[in-house]
Amino acid sequence: MARRTTTPPPEDFEEHILDTDIRDEMQSSFLEYAYSVIYSRALPDARDGLKPVQRRILYTMNDMGLRPDRGHVKSARVVGEVMGRLHPHGDSAIYDALVRMAQPWSMRLPYIDGHGNFGSPDDSPAAMRYTECRMAPAATAMTASIDEDTVDFRPNYDSRELEPSVLPAAIPNLVVNGTTGIAVGMATNMAPHNLVEVIQALRHLIKHPGTDVDGLMRFIPGPDLPTGGKIVGLDGIRDAYESGRGTFRMRATARVESVGRRKGIVVTELPYGVGTEKVIERIKTLVQGKKLQGIADMKDLTDREHGLRLVIEVKNGFVPEALLEQLYKQTPMEDTFGINNVALVDGQPRTLGLKEMLTVFLDHRYEVVRRRSKFRRDKRAERLHLVDGLLIALLDIDEVIQVIRTSDDSAAAKERLISVFDLSQAQADYILEMQLRRLTRFSRIELEKEQETLRREIEELEAILADENLLRQVVSDELGEVAKTFGTPRRTVLLESAGTGAVTAAAVPLEVADDPCFALLSSTGLLARTSSDEPVGTGGARANHDVVVSAVRTTARGEIGLLTSAGRLVKIGVLDLPTIPASANESNLQGGVPLTELLSLGQGERPLALCSLATDGPGLALGTRQGVVKRVNPEVLGKDEWDVIGLKDGDEVVGAVELRTGEEELCFLTSDAQLLRFGASTVRPQGRSGGGMAGIRVTDRERVVWFGALDLASYADGAVLVTASGSSTALPGTEPGAIKVTDFAEYPAKGRATGGVRCHRFLKGEDTLVFAWAGPAPARAAAASGAPVDLPEANGRRDGSGVPGSQALAACAGPLLTVLTSSVSG
């Protein structure tokens, strides 16, 4: 065994021992640790919404050229590059952050495009040596223009290179993706939101800086969670938007279906952050402890193709709705989310409300665009200076060549060029480096064009730098482009109160009387039934954040039909619909159930209207995208669904209505602003397999925007036409357009299969109708989120143009009382 020896210290060695109070040392060390955790690890910057590790990952991947159009690389390579250059912490922490940015159930807008096993809500991902990654398209918007002096850079941990202190961030990431983190003495927990809604609020805030929280909530009614589901109760959300702190409840999306010989509860969406295994384990524990009864079996049918599907079979004799309420109460199928909006502002942790978060982001974007414009102006000015010098040389190129040939060396040639042609040193160097092929006449023409282009671009950039309003407009336009490029529809349903998510156990009697009622369909796809068939009151169709677009008289145990854009009629049991008050003044379809919980729609298929299943009466009227009209003879088959029209390839139904008298006016509205109205009696009824007949002439480039039937004799206040114009290149739902409301009587009736009359004049930048509707006055409108939209007065000229709207229209309806009484008349 080797013997270890100790070398004695040299004779001149002096030992220095410094006595320190342990309390002072612990206090100093703890403060340094706390500072490091708060500012360098746990809390995001309010400007780009990123923690340091996330920012370093995106910056490094951008620096490595791992853009969406390039191939994937091993995740281990990215982690090693980040750790070696910028983030001196463990590789597991870096990889965990990278994985989270690639998971669509964790991030509302993922920034990493992952290839391989990146885990699931219940399982961890594969090791970094097995997975591959690259930047997602949205990540390029976060790093765009970073090389144009848009943000400040600071030394990395060893001062060998620089890293950005913040990213340019064209996406409001802090609000859109949210974040969570635990620091020392503080924590942050922010909910994700819908990108399109957030950008609509930002653009409104740019134009109206004094907007309060209520004004912003017209655009952002609540969080939009990556996993969908429902949010129950909006009071806590408003508290969070006001003060930065609040709590809301999340519920799973579930529906009752027939599973073999039993009824079953099918769960398709879970609360944010909850996995199926967690729910299954909790249900098993409750069943084994005899705290939950009525469950016969449970199957997890989740896969990557169809998404989450957890089937809970209910024993015979138990009410599925009551069991579902117990599942909400006792399992993670209902969970709470505590909002605590803590982020770094100017290097200090602050609790931010909604307006403060949006304002900090806008201030950051103003600074980014200002610095980018200055950088681009300076670069173009440098280039213009060289182009000016080169054009001077080309005007007398023979003398320039003579000067260069007679000079002893390049230094002498440069001095002589400067003195003879009055050039700068930069211009002289550029001329000396010029290639002979640039001496052609064509090159001179190109230089003159470049000179003109540079001067125009410099003027535009200087205008942005000189005019604060123009700078704000540039930021607003860029945000609009981001919404068009990366925007997606809302996933989470917002419910006002706890009773709106599902029918409570106390509200489910053993036997339901077959009383008369109305079945209602809202603009956001909610279904409900009234408690009676007496339409009391004169309330408008504007429910709380919604409008009623279709109503049909039925009974509680009856069946109704839903007409879809695919030309299908689907049966729905009225008993499956939740009950709301019968009074029109009190009706609130926020208490309804999303129709997707009752039936399955195909890709791109939309609900259009409700109808009764009566075998007498004038039947249905349908209009298609290609201008076909059809009246369908009443017919009820012994199956759950059937087609009511034979559609051609590429065609779809844009409007469907159940006729009451057969003497209604049918109306087509096309994208090129043509209106055609004619009597329903001029259309010959056909069987359900018929393909209809010509309704209105449309070109190959145009389409029908709206079709419907108007019973003008029953409208006490007459009828109106609502149109909104915009650009065909804009993403639907992102531009409010120009809105016009006109008295429907202004438009004369014409014969079927003609071209109609013009109903809206387009202004500059407009080339299509983005929305159209005709019906009883006064009209009520709603946005895609269900929020009400104010309409202008009904004094528009017959073919006049519209006025700018506050939000994009998604639906219109007349007074609710009119809708209900028209159902009674049938």
Side-chain angles (χ1 to χ4, degrees):
M1 179 180 292
R3 182 179 180 183
R4 186 175 65 178
T5 60
T6 302
T7 304
E11 296 181 358
D12 58 348
F13 176 79
E14 293 184 8
E15 190 176 81
H16 296 279
I17 299 176
L18 180 64
D19 291 330
T20 304
D21 189 282
I22 190 171
R23 289 175 298 181
D24 295 338
E25 180 63 27
M26 289 294 294
Q27 183 179 20
S28 175
S29 299
F30 182 78
L31 287 176
E32 289 181 5
Y33 167 74
Y35 181 90
S36 174
V37 171
I38 292 173
Y39 294 97
S40 300
R41 293 173 66 179
L43 297 186
D45 192 298
R47 294 170 292 179
D48 61 5
L50 297 172
K51 299 178 184 179
V53 63
Q54 296 171 325
R55 186 180 305 114
R56 288 162 177 166
I57 290 172
L58 293 181
Y59 172 70
T60 300
M61 294 183 73
N62 180 72
D63 215 28
M64 295 171 65
L66 303 180
R67 295 174 179 81
D69 57 346
R70 308 286 179 85
H72 295 81
V73 301
K74 286 289 185 182
S75 300
R77 179 180 170 189
V78 176
V79 171
E81 192 77 7
V82 173
M83 183 170 58
R85 293 177 54 193
L86 306 176
H87 201 69
H89 300 283
D91 57 348
S92 60
I94 300 173
Y95 185 54
D96 288 345
L98 186 149
V99 166
R100 180 178 173 80
M101 289 195 290
Q103 294 174 334
W105 60 87
S106 298
M107 301 272 288
R108 187 61 180 82
L109 188 64
Y111 291 139
I112 303 295
D113 178 12
H115 183 67
N117 179 14
F118 275 78
S120 70
D122 294 301
D123 299 324
S124 57
M128 65 179 115
R129 62 181 178 272
Y130 299 121
T131 62
E132 297 177 343
C133 65
R134 65 183 177 188
M135 296 175 70
T140 59
M142 296 293 292
T143 59
S145 304
I146 196 171
D147 56 348
E148 294 183 304
D149 192 31
T150 52
V151 294
D152 293 332
F153 280 72
R154 63 189 178 195
N156 68 333
Y157 67 93
D158 59 3
S159 300
R160 292 187 178 183
E161 58 179 291
L162 298 176
E163 64 172 316
S165 58
V166 66
L167 294 185
I171 296 174
N173 176 67
L174 186 67
V175 184
V176 171
N177 275 323
T179 189
T180 182
I182 300 176
V184 178
M186 62 184 67
T188 183
N189 199 34
M190 300 185 181
H193 291 77
N194 185 272
L195 175 64
V196 175
E197 294 176 356
V198 173
I199 288 182
Q200 285 179 339
L202 285 167
R203 301 186 73 181
H204 180 77
L205 189 60
I206 291 174
K207 293 182 179 179
H208 308 282
T211 302
D212 58 6
V213 172
D214 291 329
L216 294 175
M217 288 188 69
R218 294 181 59 188
F219 304 94
I220 309 177
D224 187 22
L225 307 176
T227 54
K230 306 172 185 175
I231 291 179
V232 180
L234 304 182
D235 293 338
I237 294 174
R238 196 195 183 287
D239 293 340
Y241 288 168
E242 185 73 38
S243 63
R245 297 178 184 271
T247 303
F248 63 84
R249 283 187 294 160
M250 305 176 291
R251 272 190 174 179
T253 298
R255 61 176 179 266
V256 177
E257 294 182 359
S258 296
V259 181
R261 297 182 179 180
R262 293 192 178 101
K263 287 288 186 178
I265 299 171
V266 179
V267 182
T268 56
E269 294 175 352
L270 287 174
Y272 183 45
V274 176
T276 53
E277 290 186 5
K278 185 177 180 180
V279 174
I280 292 172
E281 185 64 29
R282 178 60 179 166
I283 292 176
K284 287 181 178 179
T285 302
L286 292 173
V287 171
Q288 291 172 359
K290 298 183 178 180
K291 296 181 180 180
L292 187 64
Q293 298 180 350
I295 295 179
D297 194 8
M298 188 165 43
K299 300 175 182 177
D300 184 8
L301 304 180
T302 302
D303 57 35
R304 293 191 176 184
E305 182 178 355
H306 301 93
L308 189 148
R309 185 175 173 85
L310 178 62
V311 180
I312 303 171
E313 295 186 15
V314 182
K315 293 180 179 178
N316 294 330
F318 287 84
V319 180
E321 290 80 4
L323 179 59
L324 177 59
E325 186 65 20
Q326 293 299 316
L327 291 173
Y328 283 142
K329 290 181 178 180
Q330 302 186 54
T331 72
M333 285 178 57
E334 180 173 294
D335 202 358
T336 59
F337 189 100
I339 299 177
N340 187 24
N341 296 332
V342 178
L344 298 176
V345 180
D346 296 329
Q348 301 295 325
R350 285 180 52 191
T351 302
L352 306 174
L354 176 62
K355 183 176 181 180
E356 292 171 305
M357 290 191 291
L358 298 180
T359 301
V360 170
F361 173 77
L362 285 178
D363 291 341
H364 174 56
R365 285 303 299 171
Y366 295 152
E367 181 64 18
V368 167
V369 174
R370 187 180 293 109
R371 293 178 60 166
R372 185 188 66 195
S373 300
K374 184 177 182 301
F375 178 86
R376 292 178 177 178
R377 182 200 62 185
D378 294 343
K379 284 294 184 181
R380 282 158 178 74
E382 292 177 6
R383 176 60 185 169
L384 179 60
H385 181 64
L386 298 178
V387 171
D388 289 342
L390 192 55
L391 284 173
I392 292 173
L394 288 177
L395 288 175
D396 200 356
I397 190 62
D398 294 333
E399 186 176 354
V400 170
I401 295 174
Q402 183 64 25
V403 169
I404 295 174
R405 290 184 61 187
T406 57
S407 300
D408 295 334
D409 52 26
S410 60
K414 181 171 69 173
E415 293 297 330
R416 292 181 63 190
L417 286 174
I418 292 173
S419 61
V420 172
F421 296 99
D422 194 19
L423 302 174
S424 67
Q425 290 191 6
Q427 290 174 328
D429 288 335
Y430 189 69
I431 291 172
L432 289 173
E433 296 172 358
M434 182 179 61
Q435 297 175 336
L436 290 177
R437 64 182 180 184
R438 299 293 301 275
L439 302 181
T440 63
R441 180 174 62 86
F442 186 68
S443 294
R444 178 178 174 182
I445 296 174
E446 286 183 338
L447 287 172
E448 290 175 346
K449 289 182 179 179
E450 183 181 2
Q451 184 185 50
E452 182 180 353
T453 302
L454 289 170
R455 287 174 178 170
R456 184 178 66 255
E457 291 176 349
I458 290 173
E459 289 179 1
E460 294 173 354
L461 293 170
E462 288 180 342
I464 294 174
L465 293 171
D467 189 348
E468 192 69 20
N469 291 329
L470 184 57
L471 175 68
R472 292 172 180 266
Q473 186 60 45
V474 171
V475 173
S476 178
D477 293 342
E478 291 181 355
L479 287 173
E481 289 299 322
V482 168
K484 293 177 184 178
T485 306
F486 306 111
T488 55
R490 167 172 279 275
R491 299 175 185 172
T492 302
V493 177
L494 303 178
L495 304 175
E496 284 283 357
S497 60
T500 59
V503 183
T504 60
V508 181
L510 294 177
E511 294 291 338
V512 179
D514 196 20
D515 296 328
C517 63
F518 284 98
L520 308 175
L521 171 66
S522 80
S523 63
T524 56
L526 297 178
L527 288 168
R529 59 184 171 95
T530 58
S531 56
S532 72
D533 67 339
E534 296 182 1
V536 182
T538 58
R542 182 204 301 260
N544 191 13
H545 293 296
D546 219 340
V547 296
V548 177
V549 295
S550 184
V552 62
R553 190 182 187 189
T554 181
T555 61
R557 287 184 170 274
E559 289 183 324
I560 58 173
L562 175 73
L563 296 164
T564 75
S565 60
R568 291 195 304 158
L569 191 150
V570 184
K571 281 185 180 180
I572 298 176
V574 180
L575 192 61
D576 295 332
L577 307 184
T579 305
I580 64 172
S583 170
N585 283 329
E586 300 174 2
S587 67
N588 178 7
L589 255 68
Q590 289 283 312
V593 59
L595 61 88
T596 53
E597 295 191 11
L598 301 178
L599 52 90
S600 298
L601 298 179
Q603 185 175 4
E605 188 176 10
R606 297 173 289 105
L608 297 178
L610 301 177
C611 68
S612 67
L613 297 179
T615 56
D616 54 357
L620 308 173
L622 300 94
T624 75
R625 178 188 182 97
Q626 297 177 1
V628 174
V629 65
K630 180 182 178 182
R631 279 187 59 181
V632 186
N633 286 320
E635 183 180 10
V636 178
L637 304 181
K639 51 185 179 180
D640 292 336
E641 62 176 76
W642 61 88
D643 293 333
V644 292
I645 185 174
L647 292 172
K648 296 181 180 179
D649 291 341
D651 202 3
E652 66 172 352
V653 179
V654 296
V657 64
E658 183 175 11
L659 299 177
R660 307 300 176 188
T661 65
E663 301 299 324
E664 291 91 343
E665 290 265 345
L666 301 184
C667 180
F668 278 97
L669 288 159
T670 67
S671 57
D672 58 343
Q674 297 296 312
L675 180 149
L676 177 63
R677 52 180 285 201
F678 53 87
S681 59
T682 63
V683 182
R684 176 176 54 84
Q686 295 178 327
R688 58 186 181 87
S689 60
M693 59 186 66
I696 185 174
R697 292 201 310 265
V698 291
T699 64
D700 294 339
R701 298 191 306 172
E702 308 300 337
R703 60 184 175 86
V704 174
V705 178
W706 183 85
F707 169 82
L710 291 84
D711 188 5
L712 300 177
S714 66
Y715 299 158
D717 297 325
V720 294
L721 170 69
V722 180
T723 52
S725 57
S727 172
S728 58
T729 60
L731 183 69
T734 60
E735 295 293 338
I739 303 174
K740 180 170 76 80
V741 181
T742 314
D743 189 349
F744 189 76
E746 293 283 337
Y747 303 96
K750 295 185 66 177
R752 181 182 59 81
T754 59
V757 296
R758 188 169 73 168
C759 62
H760 194 115
R761 180 167 56 87
F762 296 142
L763 299 176
K764 184 178 180 181
E766 301 173 348
D767 61 356
T768 187
L769 283 187
V770 296
F771 180 85
W773 175 86
R780 307 298 187 196
S785 62
V789 178
D790 295 329
L791 295 176
E793 295 294 331
N795 54 9
R797 293 187 293 110
R798 169 174 156 179
D799 62 345
S801 57
V803 297
S806 59
Q807 294 188 68
L809 299 183
C812 271
L816 181 59
L817 183 60
T818 303
V819 176
L820 295 180
T821 53
S822 65
S823 298
V824 175
S825 66

